[in-house]
Amino acid sequence: MSSSFTHGAGAVTRRTVTASAALAAALLLTGGARATARPAAAPAGGRTLRLPAPTGPHRIGHTTLYLVDPARRDPWDAALAVREVMATVWYPARAVHGHPVAPQMTADAAALFGRIDARIHHLPTSGVDWAATPTHAHMGAPAQAVRRPVLLYSPGGGDPRTMGTGVAEELASHGWVVVALDHPGDAGEVAFPTARAGRGRVRPTVFRGDPRTSPETFRTAIGTRIADLRFVLDQLAVLAAGGNPDAAGRPLPPDLGRALDLRRVGAYGHSAGGTTVAQAMYEDRRIGAAVNMEGYLDHPAPAPGREGELFPVARHGVDRPLLLLGTDGFPGRAELARSWAAMLAHPRGHTRRRQIDRAAHAVFTDYAALAPQLQAAGLMPPEDRAALVGAIEPAVSVPLVRHHIRSFFARHLPGR
C-alpha cells in the first residue's frame, strides 16, 4: 500500500475502520484504474512463499517490542488515549540452537493481510498461506554482546513492517541491529500482544484513499511517523541502559541491550517512510545517515496549479549523508523530481541519488521476491507483477537493492 501515497482518491476517516470497509476502499488506494483478469486460485491449503536468504556471516536473532507513549494520543482514533508502536528487532545472534525460525508475520496479521493488502496490491486473495512464509531469523536468540550500529526502518504508507523483512535480515547478517516500525492506524494491519480498550489484537488501517489527496491527512501521517521514530529511539536508550521498554513486560533476548550502539544510528524508509526518515534526520541529530526510497520531500499541493510546501530537509539540506534511491517505473517520478532536485541542489553535497531500472515502486520491499513467485505459480498476472515491482528479475533486483542500502551504511555507519 506504499503506492497509496502516489495513486488514488477519496476521503480519509479518522476512526478505525472495519476490515470490510478497508477492503471496499482498496481500489481507491491504487487508483482503481487497472482492471486485470484475476488468476485462478491455487489448490486449497495455500502456497508457501520464500524470502531470499541473507548473505552475511552472522546468524540472526528476532524479537518484537510493544512500545507505548503516554505523552501522545493516537491521531487516528480518539478512543485511544496513548500512542502505541510495534517494532521488530533483528540482530546478530550469539547462538540460535533451540530458537525457532520466526514467521514473516503472525497468523492474526496474515489473516488481515490476505484481505486488505492483497486487494490493494492486486495479489491473490486465496491460494497463498501468508502466515507460512518463514524468515531466516530465530525468535528470542541471545544477541552477540557487541555494540553495533542501529538502523531504523519506516515502511511505505499503509504497508506493514513485515514487508521489509528481507532487507532487514540482510543488514543484520552483516552486523547491524535493525529496528523496523509499524505506524498503527497507518499500516495495513498491526498485531499487538494483547487487545486493549478501543482496539482488538489486530488494528487495520484507517486510510480509505490516497493521503496525498488531503494535505491535512498527509501532514498528520508524516508528523506522526516522525514522532514514532524519535520515540522508538528514546525507548532503545532505555533498552541499552539495561531496562525493558516493552509495555507488556515480555522478556527480551539475552544481551540485546548490550548490542545497541546508539552513538551510531541510521534510518531508511520506503515511500512515506522515505519522507519520514529524511525529515527525521533533519530534526534529530541522533540520526547520522539515512536512505529515502522514493519518498516525497514536499507536501501535497494545497490547490490545483499550486506547488506544495517543501519539507525543511529539502528547503535547507542536511549536513549528514542522505541517499535518494528511486526507480524508472515509479508513476510519481515527475512529482517526486521537484523536491528531490531541491534536495540535491544544496551546495554541501551530502545528498546522492541512485536509480534502479526496469523496476517499480515496491521493488524495495519483499514484493520484489514474492511477486515473481506468485506470477510463476499462475497466481498473479504479469501486468500486475510489473506494476508492483517491475519487469526486473529478483535475481537482479534483490541483490541490487541490498547492495545500495548496505554499501551506503557500510560507508557511513560501518558494522563491526
Side-chain angles (χ1 to χ4, degrees), residues 291-383:
V291 178
N292 171 3
M293 296 175 281
E294 287 190 330
Y296 297 109
L297 295 178
D298 61 355
H299 291 277
R306 296 178 59 186
E307 292 184 336
E309 177 189 8
L310 292 172
F311 278 94
V313 65
R315 290 203 307 271
H316 305 299
V318 287
D319 59 359
R320 283 150 287 155
L322 174 65
L323 174 63
L324 304 177
L325 189 55
T327 67
D328 64 341
F330 179 40
R333 282 183 69 200
E335 186 182 355
L336 190 73
R338 171 181 171 256
S339 63
W340 279 26
M343 191 75 238
L344 290 162
H346 293 290
R348 288 175 289 182
H350 294 287
T351 303
R352 295 288 184 269
R353 181 176 183 172
R354 298 289 183 268
Q355 179 172 294
I356 298 175
D357 293 331
R358 301 182 66 245
H361 192 52
V363 77
F364 302 111
T365 72
D366 291 340
Y367 293 120
L370 301 182
Q373 293 176 54
L374 294 171
Q375 182 188 349
L379 292 168
M380 189 176 198
E383 58 267 34

Side-chain angles (χ1 to χ4, degrees), residues 28 43 114 164 246 398:
L28 293 176
D246 189 89
V398 170

